[in-house]
Amino acid sequence: MELQRAVDIFNSKDTHKVNLEGESVWIEHVDQQNGMATVQVGSRPTNTMTVKVDRLKEGE
């Protein structure tokens, strides 16, 4: 995923399907300076990780 698209999804009021290596994730923060995103994996709020934005895929 491109950095600007991750920012757009994060700022959107709509829900967008985003996946990380086949698992559904929710974008919680985008670090534009470093090209990283903090995501929640699945439905557990404590299951977060920070990954490069280019590892995220939309709509799969």
Side-chain angles (χ1 to χ4, degrees):
M1 175 178 297
E2 301 221 356
L3 179 61
Q4 186 57 51
R5 183 61 184 145
V7 171
D8 291 345
I9 289 172
F10 175 71
N11 291 324
S12 175
K13 292 181 171 120
D14 298 325
T15 300
H16 298 268
K17 287 187 176 187
V18 178
N19 290 290
L20 171 66
E21 298 168 356
E23 282 205 66
S24 181
V25 297
W26 184 267
I27 299 174
E28 295 196 339
H29 175 75
V30 179
D31 177 352
Q32 295 183 55
Q33 188 171 8
N34 295 307
M36 303 292 284
T38 301
V39 297
Q40 174 185 316
V41 181
S43 60
R44 293 184 22 222
T46 57
N47 190 7
T48 61
M49 57 193 310
T50 302
V51 298
K52 289 186 124 326
V53 170
D54 63 7
R55 291 180 60 195
L56 301 175
K57 304 234 183 285
E58 183 177 9
E60 290 182 8

